[in-house]
Amino acid sequence: MMKLKHFYFNPFREHCGVISDNAGNAAIVDPGAMTADELDSLESYIAAEGLKPAAILLTHAHFDHIYAVRHLQDKFNIPVYMHPDEKEVMKISAKDASRYNLPVPDTGFITTDVLDSQTICAGELRFTVIHTPGHSPGGVCYYDKADSILFSGDTLFAGTIGRSDLGGGDYDKEIVSIMEKLMVLDADTELFPGHGCCSSIGYERSNNPFLEPFNEPEELPAPDDGQ
C-alpha cells in the first residue's frame, strides 16, 4: 500500500507530494521548497520515514514548482522526469520569478523526457504520463491507477482550471486536455492539484463551473415518470 505526504511550499502554496511504496521507494512530485526551512521539512520527512527517493516527477516547469529540484537531484542522484516541451518554459523561469520579487530557481538539473501514455516506475509505484497541454505546452499529469490518484499539476484544480495566459498557454488546448484525458478517468480517482484543495474526478466532472456546459450528473438514477 502506498503512503502519501502533502507539503505546501513558497508564497504560492505550491503542492508537493511525496508518495512511497511498502519498501520505502519514493517519488517526489513538484518539489517547490523555496526556503531553507521548507527544504528541511521535506528532507526531515524523507529521513524520518527512511525513504529512498527514486524519482522526481515534474508536472511542468514553472518556477514555483522546481525550486528544490537541483538540490534533490544532486543529493539523491535520481532522475527528473519532465515533458520536453517544458524546456522552453524553464528558460524563462528567472524572468517569471523576478516579476514576483522571488528567488530565481537553479535550473541546472538534468531532465529525462516523458511522453504521453508512458509509464514511469519508482519501486512498486507506477505512474502513467498524461500529456495535458494548456496551462503550459508540456504540462503533464501523473496517474497512479492502482491507487486511484492523479497529480494534476496546474491543469485541473478543485473547482477551477489552470490559467492559460502565461507563456505557451492555450485555453482551447487546456479544455480539450481536461475533457478528453482527465474527465474520462474513474469517478473515484483522487485529484491532487498543484495548488489548493484536493478533490476527485467525479466531483469535478459534476461541479466544476469552468467545465460548463460539460457538467453532467454523476451516476444519478433515471427520473421516475410515474408509470
Side-chain angles (χ1 to χ4, degrees), residues 26-63:
I28 306 171
V29 183
D30 289 353
M34 184 183 77
T35 67
D37 286 345
E38 288 177 340
L39 187 57
D40 181 67
S41 68
L42 176 59
E43 294 184 313
S44 293
Y45 171 76
I46 291 171
E49 295 292 318
L51 300 183
K52 297 168 287 187
I56 294 172
L57 311 180
L58 294 183
T59 60
H60 62 297
H62 284 150
F63 71 94

Short mmCIF file of all heavy atoms in Angstrom, two decimals, residues 26-63:
data_model
loop_
_atom_site.label_atom_id
_atom_site.label_comp_id
_atom_site.label_asym_id
_atom_site.label_seq_id
_atom_site.Cartn_x
_atom_site.Cartn_y
_atom_site.Cartn_z
N ALA A 26 10.41 6.07 -3.07
CA ALA A 26 9.56 7.26 -3.11
C ALA A 26 9.73 8.05 -4.40
O ALA A 26 10.82 8.10 -4.98
CB ALA A 26 9.87 8.16 -1.92
N ALA A 27 8.64 8.66 -4.82
CA ALA A 27 8.65 9.63 -5.92
C ALA A 27 8.24 10.98 -5.33
O ALA A 27 7.31 11.05 -4.51
CB ALA A 27 7.69 9.22 -7.02
N ILE A 28 8.94 12.02 -5.74
CA ILE A 28 8.67 13.37 -5.25
C ILE A 28 8.08 14.17 -6.41
O ILE A 28 8.71 14.33 -7.45
CB ILE A 28 9.95 14.04 -4.74
CG1 ILE A 28 10.64 13.17 -3.69
CG2 ILE A 28 9.63 15.42 -4.17
CD1 ILE A 28 12.03 13.66 -3.29
N VAL A 29 6.86 14.65 -6.22
CA VAL A 29 6.15 15.37 -7.28
C VAL A 29 6.25 16.87 -7.03
O VAL A 29 5.87 17.37 -5.97
CB VAL A 29 4.67 14.95 -7.34
CG1 VAL A 29 3.97 15.65 -8.51
CG2 VAL A 29 4.53 13.43 -7.47
N ASP A 30 6.82 17.59 -7.99
CA ASP A 30 6.89 19.05 -7.96
C ASP A 30 7.45 19.61 -6.66
O ASP A 30 6.75 20.29 -5.89
CB ASP A 30 5.50 19.65 -8.22
CG ASP A 30 5.02 19.48 -9.64
OD1 ASP A 30 5.81 19.02 -10.49
OD2 ASP A 30 3.86 19.81 -9.93
N PRO A 31 8.73 19.38 -6.38
CA PRO A 31 9.32 19.89 -5.13
C PRO A 31 9.62 21.39 -5.22
O PRO A 31 10.69 21.81 -5.65
CB PRO A 31 10.61 19.07 -5.00
CG PRO A 31 10.99 18.72 -6.40
CD PRO A 31 9.70 18.56 -7.15
N GLY A 32 8.65 22.19 -4.78
CA GLY A 32 8.79 23.64 -4.87
C GLY A 32 9.31 24.29 -3.61
O GLY A 32 9.10 25.49 -3.41
N ALA A 33 10.00 23.53 -2.75
CA ALA A 33 10.54 24.08 -1.50
C ALA A 33 11.53 25.20 -1.82
O ALA A 33 12.58 24.97 -2.41
CB ALA A 33 11.22 22.98 -0.69
N MET A 34 11.20 26.42 -1.38
CA MET A 34 12.00 27.59 -1.74
C MET A 34 12.98 28.00 -0.64
O MET A 34 14.12 28.36 -0.92
CB MET A 34 11.06 28.76 -2.05
CG MET A 34 11.75 30.02 -2.54
SD MET A 34 10.59 31.39 -2.80
CE MET A 34 10.33 31.90 -1.08
N THR A 35 12.54 27.94 0.61
CA THR A 35 13.38 28.40 1.71
C THR A 35 14.11 27.23 2.37
O THR A 35 13.76 26.06 2.16
CB THR A 35 12.52 29.09 2.79
OG1 THR A 35 11.66 28.13 3.41
CG2 THR A 35 11.68 30.20 2.17
N ALA A 36 15.09 27.56 3.18
CA ALA A 36 15.83 26.52 3.89
C ALA A 36 14.92 25.75 4.83
O ALA A 36 15.04 24.52 4.96
CB ALA A 36 16.98 27.16 4.68
N ASP A 37 13.98 26.42 5.48
CA ASP A 37 13.06 25.74 6.38
C ASP A 37 12.14 24.79 5.62
O ASP A 37 11.85 23.68 6.10
CB ASP A 37 12.22 26.76 7.15
CG ASP A 37 13.01 27.47 8.25
OD1 ASP A 37 14.11 26.99 8.59
OD2 ASP A 37 12.52 28.50 8.74
N GLU A 38 11.70 25.22 4.46
CA GLU A 38 10.83 24.35 3.66
C GLU A 38 11.59 23.11 3.20
O GLU A 38 11.07 21.98 3.26
CB GLU A 38 10.28 25.12 2.46
CG GLU A 38 9.24 26.16 2.83
CD GLU A 38 8.76 26.97 1.65
OE1 GLU A 38 9.47 27.02 0.61
OE2 GLU A 38 7.68 27.57 1.75
N LEU A 39 12.80 23.31 2.74
CA LEU A 39 13.60 22.18 2.30
C LEU A 39 13.90 21.24 3.46
O LEU A 39 13.87 20.01 3.31
CB LEU A 39 14.90 22.68 1.67
CG LEU A 39 15.79 21.63 0.99
CD1 LEU A 39 15.03 20.89 -0.10
CD2 LEU A 39 17.04 22.29 0.42
N ASP A 40 14.15 21.80 4.63
CA ASP A 40 14.42 20.98 5.81
C ASP A 40 13.21 20.13 6.17
O ASP A 40 13.35 18.96 6.56
CB ASP A 40 14.82 21.86 6.98
CG ASP A 40 15.13 21.04 8.23
OD1 ASP A 40 16.12 20.29 8.21
OD2 ASP A 40 14.37 21.14 9.21
N SER A 41 12.01 20.70 6.06
CA SER A 41 10.81 19.93 6.39
C SER A 41 10.64 18.75 5.44
O SER A 41 10.24 17.65 5.86
CB SER A 41 9.57 20.83 6.35
OG SER A 41 9.27 21.26 5.03
N LEU A 42 10.96 18.96 4.18
CA LEU A 42 10.87 17.88 3.20
C LEU A 42 11.91 16.80 3.46
O LEU A 42 11.60 15.60 3.52
CB LEU A 42 11.04 18.46 1.79
CG LEU A 42 11.06 17.48 0.62
CD1 LEU A 42 9.78 16.67 0.56
CD2 LEU A 42 11.28 18.24 -0.70
N GLU A 43 13.15 17.22 3.67
CA GLU A 43 14.22 16.25 3.89
C GLU A 43 14.07 15.54 5.24
O GLU A 43 14.41 14.35 5.37
CB GLU A 43 15.57 16.94 3.79
CG GLU A 43 15.88 17.44 2.40
CD GLU A 43 17.27 18.03 2.28
OE1 GLU A 43 17.66 18.83 3.14
OE2 GLU A 43 17.97 17.67 1.30
N SER A 44 13.55 16.24 6.22
CA SER A 44 13.34 15.61 7.53
C SER A 44 12.29 14.50 7.44
O SER A 44 12.43 13.44 8.07
CB SER A 44 12.90 16.66 8.56
OG SER A 44 13.95 17.57 8.82
N TYR A 45 11.25 14.74 6.66
CA TYR A 45 10.24 13.70 6.47
C TYR A 45 10.85 12.49 5.77
O TYR A 45 10.62 11.34 6.18
CB TYR A 45 9.07 14.24 5.65
CG TYR A 45 8.09 13.15 5.25
CD1 TYR A 45 7.19 12.63 6.17
CD2 TYR A 45 8.09 12.65 3.95
CE1 TYR A 45 6.32 11.61 5.81
CE2 TYR A 45 7.21 11.64 3.58
CZ TYR A 45 6.33 11.12 4.52
OH TYR A 45 5.47 10.11 4.15
N ILE A 46 11.62 12.72 4.73
CA ILE A 46 12.24 11.62 3.99
C ILE A 46 13.13 10.80 4.92
O ILE A 46 13.10 9.57 4.91
CB ILE A 46 13.04 12.18 2.79
CG1 ILE A 46 12.08 12.76 1.74
CG2 ILE A 46 13.92 11.10 2.17
CD1 ILE A 46 12.78 13.51 0.63
N ALA A 47 13.92 11.48 5.75
CA ALA A 47 14.83 10.80 6.66
C ALA A 47 14.06 10.06 7.75
O ALA A 47 14.37 8.90 8.08
CB ALA A 47 15.80 11.80 7.28
N ALA A 48 13.06 10.70 8.34
CA ALA A 48 12.31 10.10 9.44
C ALA A 48 11.57 8.84 9.00
O ALA A 48 11.42 7.88 9.77
CB ALA A 48 11.33 11.12 10.00
N GLU A 49 11.09 8.84 7.74
CA GLU A 49 10.36 7.69 7.22
C GLU A 49 11.28 6.64 6.61
O GLU A 49 10.82 5.57 6.20
CB GLU A 49 9.35 8.15 6.16
CG GLU A 49 8.24 9.04 6.70
CD GLU A 49 7.30 8.27 7.62
OE1 GLU A 49 6.95 7.12 7.30
OE2 GLU A 49 6.92 8.83 8.68
N GLY A 50 12.58 6.95 6.55
CA GLY A 50 13.52 6.02 5.95
C GLY A 50 13.28 5.81 4.47
O GLY A 50 13.50 4.70 3.95
N LEU A 51 12.85 6.85 3.79
CA LEU A 51 12.51 6.72 2.38
C LEU A 51 13.74 6.73 1.49
O LEU A 51 14.78 7.31 1.84
CB LEU A 51 11.57 7.86 1.96
CG LEU A 51 10.24 7.95 2.70
CD1 LEU A 51 9.39 9.07 2.13
CD2 LEU A 51 9.48 6.62 2.66
N LYS A 52 13.59 6.10 0.34
CA LYS A 52 14.65 6.06 -0.67
C LYS A 52 14.12 6.73 -1.93
O LYS A 52 13.50 6.06 -2.77
CB LYS A 52 15.04 4.60 -0.94
CG LYS A 52 15.62 3.88 0.28
CD LYS A 52 15.72 2.38 0.05
CE LYS A 52 14.34 1.72 0.09
NZ LYS A 52 14.41 0.23 0.03
N PRO A 53 14.34 8.03 -2.07
CA PRO A 53 13.84 8.72 -3.27
C PRO A 53 14.36 8.06 -4.54
O PRO A 53 15.56 7.79 -4.67
CB PRO A 53 14.37 10.14 -3.10
CG PRO A 53 14.49 10.31 -1.62
CD PRO A 53 14.97 8.96 -1.13
N ALA A 54 13.44 7.80 -5.46
CA ALA A 54 13.80 7.13 -6.71
C ALA A 54 13.55 7.99 -7.94
O ALA A 54 14.09 7.71 -9.01
CB ALA A 54 13.01 5.82 -6.84
N ALA A 55 12.75 9.05 -7.79
CA ALA A 55 12.43 9.87 -8.96
C ALA A 55 11.80 11.18 -8.52
O ALA A 55 11.17 11.27 -7.46
CB ALA A 55 11.46 9.14 -9.89
N ILE A 56 12.00 12.20 -9.34
CA ILE A 56 11.28 13.46 -9.22
C ILE A 56 10.38 13.57 -10.45
O ILE A 56 10.83 13.40 -11.58
CB ILE A 56 12.24 14.66 -9.16
CG1 ILE A 56 13.07 14.61 -7.86
CG2 ILE A 56 11.47 15.97 -9.25
CD1 ILE A 56 14.16 15.65 -7.80
N LEU A 57 9.10 13.82 -10.21
CA LEU A 57 8.13 13.95 -11.29
C LEU A 57 7.70 15.40 -11.39
O LEU A 57 7.13 15.95 -10.43
CB LEU A 57 6.90 13.07 -11.02
CG LEU A 57 7.13 11.60 -10.65
CD1 LEU A 57 5.80 10.90 -10.42
CD2 LEU A 57 7.94 10.88 -11.72
N LEU A 58 7.95 16.04 -12.51
CA LEU A 58 7.55 17.42 -12.72
C LEU A 58 6.32 17.47 -13.62
O LEU A 58 6.35 16.97 -14.74
CB LEU A 58 8.67 18.24 -13.35
CG LEU A 58 9.93 18.45 -12.50
CD1 LEU A 58 10.92 19.35 -13.23
CD2 LEU A 58 9.58 19.06 -11.13
N THR A 59 5.25 18.09 -13.10
CA THR A 59 4.07 18.26 -13.94
C THR A 59 4.30 19.35 -14.98
O THR A 59 3.73 19.30 -16.07
CB THR A 59 2.83 18.61 -13.10
OG1 THR A 59 3.07 19.85 -12.39
CG2 THR A 59 2.53 17.51 -12.08
N HIS A 60 5.12 20.34 -14.62
CA HIS A 60 5.53 21.38 -15.55
C HIS A 60 6.70 22.14 -14.92
O HIS A 60 7.12 21.81 -13.80
CB HIS A 60 4.37 22.31 -15.92
CG HIS A 60 3.79 23.07 -14.78
ND1 HIS A 60 3.16 22.46 -13.71
CD2 HIS A 60 3.72 24.42 -14.53
CE1 HIS A 60 2.73 23.38 -12.87
NE2 HIS A 60 3.06 24.57 -13.34
N ALA A 61 7.21 23.13 -15.62
CA ALA A 61 8.48 23.75 -15.20
C ALA A 61 8.35 25.18 -14.73
O ALA A 61 9.35 25.90 -14.68
CB ALA A 61 9.50 23.68 -16.35
N HIS A 62 7.16 25.63 -14.36
CA HIS A 62 7.05 26.98 -13.81
C HIS A 62 7.86 27.07 -12.52
O HIS A 62 7.95 26.10 -11.76
CB HIS A 62 5.59 27.34 -13.56
CG HIS A 62 4.86 27.69 -14.82
ND1 HIS A 62 3.51 27.48 -14.98
CD2 HIS A 62 5.30 28.22 -15.99
CE1 HIS A 62 3.14 27.89 -16.19
NE2 HIS A 62 4.21 28.34 -16.82
N PHE A 63 8.43 28.24 -12.27
CA PHE A 63 9.45 28.39 -11.24
C PHE A 63 9.00 27.92 -9.86
O PHE A 63 9.79 27.39 -9.08
CB PHE A 63 9.95 29.83 -11.18
CG PHE A 63 8.95 30.81 -10.61
CD1 PHE A 63 8.97 31.14 -9.26
CD2 PHE A 63 8.00 31.42 -11.43
CE1 PHE A 63 8.07 32.05 -8.73
CE2 PHE A 63 7.09 32.32 -10.91
CZ PHE A 63 7.12 32.63 -9.56
#
